[in-house]
Amino acid sequence: MAGRVDVLLGAQWGDEGKGKVVDVIAPGYQAIARFQGGPNAGHTLIFDGIKHVLHTIPSGVFRKDVWNLVGNCVVIDPVVFLKEVKSLADAGVDVRPRLLISRRAHLILPTHRALDAASEADKGQSKIGSTLKGIGPTYMDKTGRNGLRVGDIERPDFMDRYHTLVAKHERLFGIYDHKVDWKPMEAEWLQAIAALREFTLVDSEHWMDQQLRAGKNILAEGAQGTLLDIEFGTYPFVTSSNTITAGACTGLGIAPSRIGKAIGIFKAYCTRVGSGPFPTELHDADGEHIRTAGNEFGSTTGRPRRCGWLDLPALRYAVMVNGLTELAMMKADVLSGMPTVRVCTSYRINGKETDRLPFDITTGVAPVYTDMPGWGALDPKLALPKEIEDYIRFIEEAVEVPIRLVSTGPDRTATLLREAQALVR
Ligand code: GDP
Ligand code: IMO
Ligand code: MG
């Protein structure tokens, strides 16, 4: 029987805990395939008392016998990538034998990073809050049909192509008031390109097809989250790729009929890093408490994350555009000890109540809350307290999707599967 691709992605604004869940369920798959995004992502895995943060490399890398593929819609900064490889080597993991990189993946150049910085600086107050990793300019060059791809490094005229693109960027810098000096980054980047040639580059759509024909099951790992999707996120405060289930098809070259489960990862509350609308954002002691208890500081940039209550209209929207078949609720422990936990069930907009996420949530959206009793400490070895079971049931009924996994701490072992092994096929 042919294999299938399950998709795991963020159902909020990123940083939901995707890396942790991929690591937990990876042994149930033959390969983990990242399908979009780039070093703007920071996926954290913690086990045996050690923390690892991955940016480009899929989160299956610590699991024996699991292949890891960097898919065609991922954008790669070879410098960041090599640093990741090195830090994994320092931790005793040689990624090379089981890591494959798509030739179609686009390269982030030093000039892309500089353009990102110049564009953000020029936007001033209306800046996106980009991670400044060069993501936007790289995807712009991809859709503008100027980009350089990983496969291009195998061509004899690679350097000519590189200089042509850099010359284009040099002209582009002229439109920005802010100048960024990218030249000091070039030598390290070119060295990293040379090092990238030592990795296994593949025609990943064919590799995926071969695996699926051989009956292998693959987990597609998303980056960012649904509300940062270029199409369905809170535009323009979004990233530049498709973070949704459909993105796994274009990001890996697989047909929609290959998709099995669509697993949505969400926190028991909400966070957002960077600018943009956030209806349930808290500016009070509760928000501060969640930030501290949840250690809500960016894995890639260290920026404090904005915190707020769970937003069900937004989660329902994620269920809808992704066709989520199951959910994993993360960071349930962070709300432990709060006497009351609030859930936004609908929005009031211009005096009218709606449970739909509308076109524009920038202003005038007032969340309508249901208050629920909080819960005490959570122990993954024991049954969940009644209060959190009620919270879970409330969410499941509102979004009509089962919550199969509850995470009660950052460590791999602090994970509770509801209906044993339900996430793993
Ligand atoms: P990702 O980008 O979706 O992979 O998520 P990040 O790694 O950026 O952010 C999630 C953060 O929460 C990381 O610091 C994780 O170690 C941590 N984390 C994940 N699950 C839990 C949990 O259940 N409880 C707590 N307290 N922390 C968690
Ligand atoms: P993971 O995979 C959270 C946010 C940035 C900014 C916007 C655009 O770890 O969940 P970009 O650098 O893509 O131009 O930034 O998107 N952002 C993320 N927020 N988690 C991420 O990735 C993010 N990647 C980008 O903060 O608001
Ligand atoms: Mg992250």
Side-chain angles (χ1 to χ4, degrees), residues 76-287:
I76 301 180
D77 183 332
V79 174
V80 178
F81 170 74
L82 276 192
K83 280 191 184 138
E84 254 179 281
V85 170
K86 183 168 181 318
S87 101
L88 287 166
D90 292 346
V93 179
D94 179 12
V95 296
R96 220 167 290 228
R98 289 200 166 262
L99 183 69
L100 307 169
I101 304 173
S102 173
R103 287 196 175 89
R104 292 182 186 274
H106 278 244
L107 289 168
I108 302 176
L109 272 55
T111 41
H112 284 133
R113 294 185 63 167
L115 285 168
D116 209 358
S119 157
E120 280 285 84
D122 258 30
K123 282 189 166 132
Q125 287 293 310
S126 54
K127 69 174 186 192
I128 309 291
S130 157
T131 59
L132 302 180
K133 302 292 179 191
I135 304 297
T138 305
Y139 280 114
M140 277 166 72
D141 269 339
K142 173 178 178 170
T143 51
R145 294 154 303 171
N146 296 311
L148 278 182
R149 295 179 294 172
V150 166
D152 292 330
I153 69 177
E154 297 173 317
R155 298 183 198 263
D157 64 347
F158 173 70
M159 283 311 290
D160 295 339
R161 288 168 187 252
Y162 168 74
H163 289 303
T164 305
L165 186 52
V166 167
K168 224 171 232 158
H169 291 165
E170 291 275 31
R171 293 196 292 279
L172 261 180
F173 284 122
I175 67 170
Y176 296 112
D177 291 336
H178 291 80
K179 301 290 167 232
V180 182
D181 189 11
W182 58 272
K183 262 288 177 192
M185 296 190 265
E186 188 179 49
E188 190 184 12
W189 189 85
L190 289 173
Q191 272 171 18
I193 287 289
L196 197 57
R197 293 198 175 94
E198 308 300 315
F199 286 80
T200 310
L201 312 183
V202 292
D203 295 340
S204 51
E205 64 280 26
H206 290 291
W207 187 84
M208 289 289 297
D209 185 55
Q210 249 172 16
Q211 299 304 308
L212 294 170
R213 279 172 190 270
K216 315 277 188 200
N217 291 322
I218 296 173
L219 181 66
E221 174 178 2
Q224 291 81 54
T226 303
L227 298 169
L228 290 172
D229 181 83
I230 181 70
E231 203 69 42
F232 296 105
T234 49
Y235 193 88
F237 302 100
V238 294
T239 191
S240 300
S241 63
N242 281 118
T243 61
I244 58 171
T245 303
C249 293
T250 51
L252 295 169
I254 48 160
S257 55
R258 294 289 201 189
I259 305 280
K261 299 175 186 179
I263 305 163
I265 314 298
F266 76 105
K267 285 177 184 167
Y269 48 94
C270 281
T271 64
R272 169 161 210 170
V273 61
S275 327
F278 182 179
T280 62
E281 182 170 13
L282 289 165
H283 299 282
D284 60 5
D286 282 338

Side-chain angles (χ1 to χ4, degrees), residues 15 42-43 299:
D15 299 332
H43 295 181
S299 318

